[in-house]
Amino acid sequence: MNRPDVIRTNTADLYDAHVLKNYGRPALTLVRGSGSVVWDDQGAQYLDFTSGIAVSALGHCHPYWVAAVQRQAGELIHVSNLFRNPNQGELAKRIVGYAGPGRVFFCNSGAEANEALLKLARLHGMKKAGGEEGKIYKVICAKNAFHGRTFGGMSATPQEKIQKGFRPLVPGFAFGELNNLASFEELVDDQTAAIFVETIQGEGGVNPATTEFLLGLRDLCNRRDLLLILDEVQCGVGRTGKFYAYEHAGVRPDAVGMAKGLGGGFPIGAIWVGEKSADLFQPGMHGTTFGGTPLACAAALAVLDVLERDQLMAHVAQASVAWIAALQSLAAEFPSQLLGVRGRGFIVGLQLTSDPAPYVATLRDAGLLVPSAGGNVIRLLPPLTATVEELARAVEIIRSVLVAKK
Ligand SMILES: Cc1ncc(COP(=O)(O)O)c(C=O)c1O
């Protein structure tokens, strides 16, 4: 594999001088990637189980994806949504194929997908209220959720560290306990339009919604004429071994949001809206300049092609069994450091007994890149292409760090 040939020595200075300080980053500049591996500007190699926060579904620079994006970049990149382009219709059809009868809207990020979903909830409320605006508008979300940094997403994210400094927020949100159906039921009133939860909370610490809870929400939404909206921005697009994580529960939402892995590294977000609510958005009611460009859709189509051609969802489902078992053995071996393992497929959280930051740093030094999450959790988000050997290598590195910190 190639080593980086361009070494820029002033990157840190340029960041220090010119980039807004809204991120605390380690002193690490990544310059090249291939599959599950990335290299820094000093030539050091890392196993990348951050995957750009669950984005690089096919790993770095997958040849099929690169060829598709290069081909499309030489043909047509952007025309706006004032015109049709061939890739957007095709991608919408493929998403409908996974989600069921309905329609798709394309945007550029997870937060933007969620904004569209929250607007959908308001439109449903308005319809319920016989066309009257502002009467039925409330959305019930989960405590510990993360839905993005826009005002809508942030208002649906009841975390002090996310909301502090930005109040007043958008009104109309209430929060139940994940996996506590009664706490959601109690919050439903005559002003409620929708329930909006992550199928697996990612940033909140890899907390899966249980099958029982999701089925209970479905029933509650049916009884009270609420939309059941799922945020699969992080856990969707094959990451759990099925295209949508909710499929494991056998539940059907009314709408779902996705982004991250969909473009395999090219920014794209999407919402799927089921048939029942697909006509709530009428011409002029919502839009975006960049959403669903020929280039973004070509990238996403390439992701879906490889996902299907290489049966990556079956790979994730199979390979994750032994991998998660190996991680659970670590938890049994190092109980003073590791409380447990949560998640499904290739979205897994290791719950530590202490702050994950020193672990994330030591793992990085040992050659494994991982992000942390809320509740003292280290997240493991390998590309869906990660091999059994790479998964085992990650376990070895984690083990060596647990030994060193014992
Ligand atoms: C579940 C979930 N929803 C929404 C978002 C926001 O997505 P983006 O950062 O693309 O705006 C994220 C990002 O981490 C996420 O995990």
Side-chain angles (χ1 to χ4, degrees), residues 314-330:
H315 165 67
V316 169
Q318 281 155 20
S320 61
V321 174
W323 183 53
I324 292 174
L327 293 166
Q328 276 161 345
S329 309
L330 289 183

Side-chain angles (χ1 to χ4, degrees), residues 120-140:
L120 180 81
R122 292 264 173 120
L123 291 177
H124 175 72
M126 190 166 77
K127 185 178 164 195
K128 245 179 111 173
E132 202 178 324
E133 204 174 357
K135 213 173 157 201
I136 300 180
Y137 62 97
K138 285 188 187 165
V139 177
I140 304 173

Side-chain angles (χ1 to χ4, degrees), residues 53 108-112 114 146-150 198 200-203 231-235 259-260 379:
I53 322 185
N108 310 285
S109 67
E112 211 189 327
N114 287 342
F146 183 84
H147 295 294
R149 303 286 194 153
T150 50
E198 291 156 272
I200 299 179
Q201 290 185 338
E203 305 294 312
D231 178 347
E232 294 233 355
V233 165
Q234 187 159 157
C235 63
K260 290 190 181 278
R379 258 178 304 169

Side-chain angles (χ1 to χ4, degrees), residues 7 19 27 36 134-135 147 165 175 230 241 255 258 294 342 366 378 382 397:
I7 309 278
V19 176
S36 304
K135 213 173 157 201
H147 295 294
F175 302 96
L230 296 178
M258 65 215 92
R342 291 197 292 262
I378 285 178
I397 296 174

Side-chain angles (χ1 to χ4, degrees), residues 282-297:
Q282 288 295 311
M285 291 174 94
H286 192 54
T288 163
T289 298
F290 289 112
T293 66
L295 188 56
C297 292

Side-chain angles (χ1 to χ4, degrees), residues 55-388:
V55 165
S56 314
L58 306 183
H60 294 281
C61 304
H62 190 288
Y64 184 94
W65 187 95
V66 170
V69 169
Q70 282 177 339
R71 200 180 319 116
Q72 188 61 50
E75 202 166 291
L76 187 67
I77 295 173
H78 172 86
V79 290
S80 88
N81 281 300
L82 300 180
F83 305 98
R84 291 196 289 260
N85 77 70
N87 294 348
Q88 190 177 131
E90 173 64 17
L91 182 59
K93 183 183 127 195
R94 299 273 287 270
I95 290 173
V96 164
Y98 282 111
R103 292 181 177 275
V104 181
F105 163 77
F106 291 104
C107 53
N108 310 285
S109 67
E112 211 189 327
N114 287 342
E115 290 301 313
L117 291 170
L118 293 172
K119 287 172 86 169
L120 180 81
R122 292 264 173 120
L123 291 177
H124 175 72
M126 190 166 77
K127 185 178 164 195
K128 245 179 111 173
E132 202 178 324
E133 204 174 357
K135 213 173 157 201
I136 300 180
Y137 62 97
K138 285 188 187 165
V139 177
I140 304 173
C141 304
K143 289 180 184 162
N144 215 30
F146 183 84
H147 295 294
R149 303 286 194 153
T150 50
F151 267 94
M154 196 168 53
S155 305
T157 298
Q159 298 188 40
E160 186 60 16
K161 67 175 188 230
I162 305 288
Q163 296 183 342
K164 191 170 164 34
F166 302 110
R167 298 184 179 102
L169 301 171
V170 178
F173 290 93
F175 302 96
E177 296 274 349
L178 185 77
N179 294 331
N180 179 343
L181 187 61
S183 73
F184 274 68
E185 254 164 358
E186 270 166 27
L187 292 170
V188 175
D189 62 16
D190 291 344
Q191 295 179 312
T192 308
I195 290 178
F196 178 43
V197 296
E198 291 156 272
T199 317
I200 299 179
Q201 290 185 338
E203 305 294 312
V206 190
N207 304 307
T210 62
T211 295
E212 194 190 5
F213 177 67
L214 288 172
L215 291 172
L217 288 185
R218 178 68 277 172
D219 179 57
L220 175 60
C221 288
N222 291 348
R223 280 187 283 119
R224 302 294 299 261
D225 188 17
L226 315 175
L227 291 186
L228 176 60
I229 306 180
L230 296 178
D231 178 347
E232 294 233 355
V233 165
Q234 187 159 157
C235 63
V237 194
R239 183 148 288 281
T240 62
K242 291 197 185 284
F243 194 79
Y244 294 114
Y246 65 71
E247 292 174 52
H248 295 284
V251 76
R252 271 266 166 122
D254 296 302
V256 60
M258 65 215 92
K260 290 190 181 278
L262 183 62
F266 200 96
I268 183 168
I271 67 166
W272 167 87
V273 183
E275 257 176 340
K276 191 182 87 183
S277 308
D279 290 336
L280 288 175
F281 279 114
Q282 288 295 311
M285 291 174 94
H286 192 54
T288 163
T289 298
F290 289 112
T293 66
L295 188 56
C297 292
L301 284 167
V303 169
L304 299 189
D305 284 350
V306 177
L307 203 69
E308 291 164 16
R309 185 195 70 183
D310 295 352
Q311 299 182 358
L312 290 180
M313 289 185 273
H315 165 67
V316 169
Q318 281 155 20
S320 61
V321 174
W323 183 53
I324 292 174
L327 293 166
Q328 276 161 345
S329 309
L330 289 183
E333 196 180 342
F334 299 93
S336 64
Q337 295 177 78
L338 253 186
L339 277 180
V341 180
R342 291 197 292 262
R344 177 163 225 156
F346 283 6
I347 173 166
V348 170
L350 305 181
Q351 193 181 7
L352 301 172
T353 53
S354 61
D355 179 10
Y359 284 88
V360 168
T362 314
L363 287 166
R364 185 170 64 240
D365 292 343
L368 178 66
L369 300 185
V370 290
S372 60
N376 288 344
V377 165
I378 285 178
R379 258 178 304 169
L380 304 175
L381 302 164
L384 310 187
T385 48
T387 63
V388 168

